[in-house]
mmCIF file of all heavy atoms in Angstrom:
data_model
loop_
_atom_site.group_PDB
_atom_site.id
_atom_site.type_symbol
_atom_site.label_atom_id
_atom_site.label_comp_id
_atom_site.label_asym_id
_atom_site.label_seq_id
_atom_site.Cartn_x
_atom_site.Cartn_y
_atom_site.Cartn_z
ATOM 1 N N PHE K 697 -5.691 -16.407 -7.144
ATOM 2 C CA PHE K 697 -4.993 -15.469 -6.248
ATOM 3 C C PHE K 697 -5.719 -15.324 -4.926
ATOM 4 O O PHE K 697 -5.122 -15.322 -3.848
ATOM 5 C CB PHE K 697 -4.834 -14.111 -6.932
ATOM 6 C CG PHE K 697 -3.937 -13.163 -6.168
ATOM 7 C CD1 PHE K 697 -2.608 -13.440 -5.976
ATOM 8 C CD2 PHE K 697 -4.460 -11.992 -5.652
ATOM 9 C CE1 PHE K 697 -1.772 -12.558 -5.310
ATOM 10 C CE2 PHE K 697 -3.635 -11.108 -4.950
ATOM 11 C CZ PHE K 697 -2.285 -11.384 -4.783
ATOM 12 N N VAL K 698 -7.051 -15.208 -4.978
ATOM 13 C CA VAL K 698 -7.862 -15.116 -3.767
ATOM 14 C C VAL K 698 -7.755 -16.402 -2.967
ATOM 15 O O VAL K 698 -7.594 -16.378 -1.722
ATOM 16 C CB VAL K 698 -9.319 -14.814 -4.129
ATOM 17 C CG1 VAL K 698 -10.204 -14.868 -2.865
ATOM 18 C CG2 VAL K 698 -9.449 -13.469 -4.791
ATOM 19 N N ALA K 699 -7.791 -17.544 -3.617
ATOM 20 C CA ALA K 699 -7.714 -18.842 -2.922
ATOM 21 C C ALA K 699 -6.360 -18.951 -2.211
ATOM 22 O O ALA K 699 -6.301 -19.438 -1.076
ATOM 23 C CB ALA K 699 -7.876 -19.979 -3.920
ATOM 24 N N ARG K 700 -5.290 -18.498 -2.845
ATOM 25 C CA ARG K 700 -3.989 -18.529 -2.207
ATOM 26 C C ARG K 700 -3.929 -17.697 -0.957
ATOM 27 O O ARG K 700 -3.316 -18.073 0.056
ATOM 28 C CB ARG K 700 -2.934 -18.046 -3.232
ATOM 29 C CG ARG K 700 -1.505 -18.295 -2.849
ATOM 30 C CD ARG K 700 -0.921 -17.241 -1.958
ATOM 31 N NE ARG K 700 -1.128 -15.904 -2.518
ATOM 32 C CZ ARG K 700 -1.160 -14.806 -1.790
ATOM 33 N NH1 ARG K 700 -1.011 -14.850 -0.479
ATOM 34 N NH2 ARG K 700 -1.363 -13.621 -2.344
ATOM 35 N N ALA K 701 -4.605 -16.569 -0.956
ATOM 36 C CA ALA K 701 -4.600 -15.689 0.232
ATOM 37 C C ALA K 701 -5.240 -16.384 1.425
ATOM 38 O O ALA K 701 -4.763 -16.277 2.540
ATOM 39 C CB ALA K 701 -5.341 -14.396 -0.104
ATOM 40 N N TYR K 702 -6.326 -17.120 1.195
ATOM 41 C CA TYR K 702 -6.990 -17.803 2.291
ATOM 42 C C TYR K 702 -6.212 -19.027 2.765
ATOM 43 O O TYR K 702 -6.235 -19.370 3.944
ATOM 44 C CB TYR K 702 -8.415 -18.182 1.899
ATOM 45 C CG TYR K 702 -9.392 -17.046 2.043
ATOM 46 C CD1 TYR K 702 -9.707 -16.234 0.944
ATOM 47 C CD2 TYR K 702 -9.970 -16.746 3.275
ATOM 48 C CE1 TYR K 702 -10.575 -15.180 1.069
ATOM 49 C CE2 TYR K 702 -10.857 -15.664 3.402
ATOM 50 C CZ TYR K 702 -11.147 -14.900 2.305
ATOM 51 O OH TYR K 702 -11.996 -13.832 2.449
ATOM 52 N N VAL K 703 -5.514 -19.683 1.865
ATOM 53 C CA VAL K 703 -4.672 -20.805 2.237
ATOM 54 C C VAL K 703 -3.561 -20.363 3.169
ATOM 55 O O VAL K 703 -3.208 -21.061 4.135
ATOM 56 C CB VAL K 703 -4.079 -21.519 0.997
ATOM 57 C CG1 VAL K 703 -3.035 -22.533 1.362
ATOM 58 C CG2 VAL K 703 -5.223 -22.189 0.216
ATOM 59 N N MET K 704 -2.990 -19.173 2.911
ATOM 60 C CA MET K 704 -1.862 -18.674 3.688
ATOM 61 C C MET K 704 -2.264 -17.976 4.989
ATOM 62 O O MET K 704 -1.440 -17.777 5.885
ATOM 63 C CB MET K 704 -1.048 -17.703 2.856
ATOM 64 C CG MET K 704 -0.148 -18.345 1.828
ATOM 65 S SD MET K 704 1.076 -19.462 2.591
ATOM 66 C CE MET K 704 1.919 -18.350 3.725
ATOM 67 N N LEU K 705 -3.530 -17.627 5.136
ATOM 68 C CA LEU K 705 -3.963 -16.871 6.306
ATOM 69 C C LEU K 705 -3.650 -17.600 7.629
ATOM 70 O O LEU K 705 -3.112 -16.956 8.546
ATOM 71 C CB LEU K 705 -5.445 -16.546 6.201
ATOM 72 C CG LEU K 705 -6.027 -15.650 7.275
ATOM 73 C CD1 LEU K 705 -5.295 -14.309 7.355
ATOM 74 C CD2 LEU K 705 -7.527 -15.426 7.058
ATOM 75 N N PRO K 706 -3.933 -18.885 7.777
ATOM 76 C CA PRO K 706 -3.602 -19.563 9.020
ATOM 77 C C PRO K 706 -2.088 -19.555 9.343
ATOM 78 O O PRO K 706 -1.687 -19.525 10.504
ATOM 79 C CB PRO K 706 -4.118 -21.006 8.815
ATOM 80 C CG PRO K 706 -5.117 -20.877 7.760
ATOM 81 C CD PRO K 706 -4.671 -19.783 6.866
ATOM 82 N N VAL K 707 -1.261 -19.587 8.298
ATOM 83 C CA VAL K 707 0.185 -19.585 8.513
ATOM 84 C C VAL K 707 0.631 -18.263 9.110
ATOM 85 O O VAL K 707 1.425 -18.215 10.064
ATOM 86 C CB VAL K 707 0.899 -19.844 7.168
ATOM 87 C CG1 VAL K 707 2.434 -19.778 7.376
ATOM 88 C CG2 VAL K 707 0.505 -21.182 6.580
ATOM 89 N N GLN K 708 0.072 -17.165 8.599
ATOM 90 C CA GLN K 708 0.421 -15.836 9.139
ATOM 91 C C GLN K 708 -0.052 -15.673 10.562
ATOM 92 O O GLN K 708 0.627 -15.112 11.407
ATOM 93 C CB GLN K 708 -0.138 -14.772 8.249
ATOM 94 C CG GLN K 708 0.538 -14.714 6.877
ATOM 95 C CD GLN K 708 -0.085 -13.710 5.931
ATOM 96 O OE1 GLN K 708 -1.293 -13.705 5.736
ATOM 97 N NE2 GLN K 708 0.734 -12.874 5.375
ATOM 98 N N ILE K 709 -1.233 -16.181 10.853
ATOM 99 C CA ILE K 709 -1.782 -16.107 12.206
ATOM 100 C C ILE K 709 -0.872 -16.890 13.171
ATOM 101 O O ILE K 709 -0.603 -16.473 14.284
ATOM 102 C CB ILE K 709 -3.194 -16.664 12.225
ATOM 103 C CG1 ILE K 709 -4.137 -15.708 11.443
ATOM 104 C CG2 ILE K 709 -3.696 -16.840 13.664
ATOM 105 C CD1 ILE K 709 -5.524 -16.259 11.237
ATOM 106 N N PHE K 710 -0.405 -18.057 12.711
ATOM 107 C CA PHE K 710 0.476 -18.877 13.538
ATOM 108 C C PHE K 710 1.796 -18.141 13.874
ATOM 109 O O PHE K 710 2.223 -18.118 15.020
ATOM 110 C CB PHE K 710 0.789 -20.194 12.810
ATOM 111 C CG PHE K 710 1.909 -20.972 13.434
ATOM 112 C CD1 PHE K 710 1.713 -21.727 14.578
ATOM 113 C CD2 PHE K 710 3.188 -20.957 12.860
ATOM 114 C CE1 PHE K 710 2.742 -22.459 15.163
ATOM 115 C CE2 PHE K 710 4.229 -21.672 13.421
ATOM 116 C CZ PHE K 710 3.999 -22.414 14.589
ATOM 117 N N PHE K 711 2.415 -17.531 12.871
ATOM 118 C CA PHE K 711 3.670 -16.828 13.113
ATOM 119 C C PHE K 711 3.475 -15.595 13.991
ATOM 120 O O PHE K 711 4.326 -15.305 14.832
ATOM 121 C CB PHE K 711 4.308 -16.407 11.763
ATOM 122 C CG PHE K 711 5.214 -17.483 11.191
ATOM 123 C CD1 PHE K 711 4.730 -18.358 10.250
ATOM 124 C CD2 PHE K 711 6.542 -17.584 11.584
ATOM 125 C CE1 PHE K 711 5.543 -19.355 9.715
ATOM 126 C CE2 PHE K 711 7.377 -18.555 11.060
ATOM 127 C CZ PHE K 711 6.879 -19.443 10.105
ATOM 128 N N LEU K 712 2.376 -14.907 13.800
ATOM 129 C CA LEU K 712 2.126 -13.730 14.650
ATOM 130 C C LEU K 712 1.975 -14.151 16.098
ATOM 131 O O LEU K 712 2.488 -13.489 17.002
ATOM 132 C CB LEU K 712 0.859 -13.010 14.160
ATOM 133 C CG LEU K 712 0.518 -11.708 14.897
ATOM 134 C CD1 LEU K 712 1.621 -10.694 14.729
ATOM 135 C CD2 LEU K 712 -0.826 -11.182 14.403
ATOM 136 N N LYS K 713 1.305 -15.265 16.338
ATOM 137 C CA LYS K 713 1.117 -15.775 17.696
ATOM 138 C C LYS K 713 2.460 -16.214 18.313
ATOM 139 O O LYS K 713 2.771 -15.881 19.470
ATOM 140 C CB LYS K 713 0.162 -16.966 17.657
ATOM 141 C CG LYS K 713 0.064 -17.787 18.945
ATOM 142 C CD LYS K 713 -0.566 -16.997 20.060
ATOM 143 C CE LYS K 713 -0.809 -17.886 21.281
ATOM 144 N NZ LYS K 713 -1.392 -17.156 22.416
ATOM 145 N N ARG K 714 3.286 -16.891 17.513
ATOM 146 C CA ARG K 714 4.548 -17.402 18.038
ATOM 147 C C ARG K 714 5.534 -16.287 18.367
ATOM 148 O O ARG K 714 6.220 -16.326 19.374
ATOM 149 C CB ARG K 714 5.186 -18.362 17.022
ATOM 150 C CG ARG K 714 6.335 -19.151 17.628
ATOM 151 C CD ARG K 714 6.884 -20.172 16.627
ATOM 152 N NE ARG K 714 7.722 -19.551 15.635
ATOM 153 C CZ ARG K 714 8.491 -20.221 14.779
ATOM 154 N NH1 ARG K 714 8.484 -21.542 14.825
ATOM 155 N NH2 ARG K 714 9.238 -19.617 13.899
ATOM 156 N N VAL K 715 5.542 -15.236 17.550
ATOM 157 C CA VAL K 715 6.514 -14.179 17.735
ATOM 158 C C VAL K 715 6.074 -13.116 18.704
ATOM 159 O O VAL K 715 6.847 -12.630 19.550
ATOM 160 C CB VAL K 715 6.855 -13.535 16.364
ATOM 161 C CG1 VAL K 715 7.787 -12.335 16.536
ATOM 162 C CG2 VAL K 715 7.490 -14.555 15.442
ATOM 163 N N SER K 716 4.782 -12.742 18.642
ATOM 164 C CA SER K 716 4.289 -11.629 19.440
ATOM 165 C C SER K 716 3.396 -12.018 20.597
ATOM 166 O O SER K 716 3.134 -11.192 21.486
ATOM 167 C CB SER K 716 3.564 -10.658 18.543
ATOM 168 O OG SER K 716 2.325 -11.230 18.090
ATOM 169 N N GLY K 717 2.906 -13.268 20.561
ATOM 170 C CA GLY K 717 1.914 -13.654 21.564
ATOM 171 C C GLY K 717 0.496 -13.220 21.251
ATOM 172 O O GLY K 717 -0.441 -13.526 21.997
ATOM 173 N N ILE K 718 0.310 -12.551 20.118
ATOM 174 C CA ILE K 718 -1.000 -12.103 19.686
ATOM 175 C C ILE K 718 -1.691 -13.226 18.912
ATOM 176 O O ILE K 718 -1.309 -13.517 17.777
ATOM 177 C CB ILE K 718 -0.944 -10.837 18.843
ATOM 178 C CG1 ILE K 718 -0.247 -9.694 19.625
ATOM 179 C CG2 ILE K 718 -2.339 -10.396 18.375
ATOM 180 C CD1 ILE K 718 0.029 -8.473 18.769
ATOM 181 N N GLY K 719 -2.661 -13.844 19.538
ATOM 182 C CA GLY K 719 -3.347 -14.963 18.916
ATOM 183 C C GLY K 719 -4.568 -14.526 18.090
ATOM 184 O O GLY K 719 -4.943 -13.363 18.116
ATOM 185 N N PHE K 720 -5.140 -15.493 17.391
ATOM 186 C CA PHE K 720 -6.301 -15.141 16.545
ATOM 187 C C PHE K 720 -7.468 -14.662 17.382
ATOM 188 O O PHE K 720 -8.272 -13.818 16.926
ATOM 189 C CB PHE K 720 -6.729 -16.340 15.720
ATOM 190 C CG PHE K 720 -7.901 -16.053 14.794
ATOM 191 C CD1 PHE K 720 -7.737 -15.219 13.703
ATOM 192 C CD2 PHE K 720 -9.139 -16.598 15.069
ATOM 193 C CE1 PHE K 720 -8.807 -14.930 12.867
ATOM 194 C CE2 PHE K 720 -10.210 -16.320 14.210
ATOM 195 C CZ PHE K 720 -10.050 -15.494 13.140
ATOM 196 N N GLN K 721 -7.598 -15.151 18.594
ATOM 197 C CA GLN K 721 -8.683 -14.724 19.430
ATOM 198 C C GLN K 721 -8.618 -13.220 19.730
ATOM 199 O O GLN K 721 -9.627 -12.529 19.714
ATOM 200 C CB GLN K 721 -8.704 -15.504 20.760
ATOM 201 C CG GLN K 721 -9.881 -15.171 21.648
ATOM 202 C CD GLN K 721 -9.908 -16.033 22.905
ATOM 203 O OE1 GLN K 721 -9.052 -16.879 23.107
ATOM 204 N NE2 GLN K 721 -10.930 -15.814 23.739
ATOM 205 N N GLN K 722 -7.377 -12.743 19.977
ATOM 206 C CA GLN K 722 -7.231 -11.281 20.210
ATOM 207 C C GLN K 722 -7.529 -10.484 18.943
ATOM 208 O O GLN K 722 -8.127 -9.419 19.006
ATOM 209 C CB GLN K 722 -5.830 -10.996 20.696
ATOM 210 C CG GLN K 722 -5.525 -11.505 22.109
ATOM 211 C CD GLN K 722 -4.043 -11.456 22.453
ATOM 212 O OE1 GLN K 722 -3.272 -12.243 21.926
ATOM 213 N NE2 GLN K 722 -3.659 -10.499 23.285
#
Side-chain angles (χ1 to χ4, degrees):
F697 188 64
V698 174
R700 192 275 308 155
Y702 278 96
V703 169
M704 282 300 303
L705 185 58
V707 178
Q708 292 176 308
I709 292 171
F710 167 78
F711 271 95
L712 183 62
K713 170 68 174 178
R714 192 176 78 169
V715 174
S716 69
I718 301 172
F720 181 70
Q721 184 176 0
Q722 290 168 287

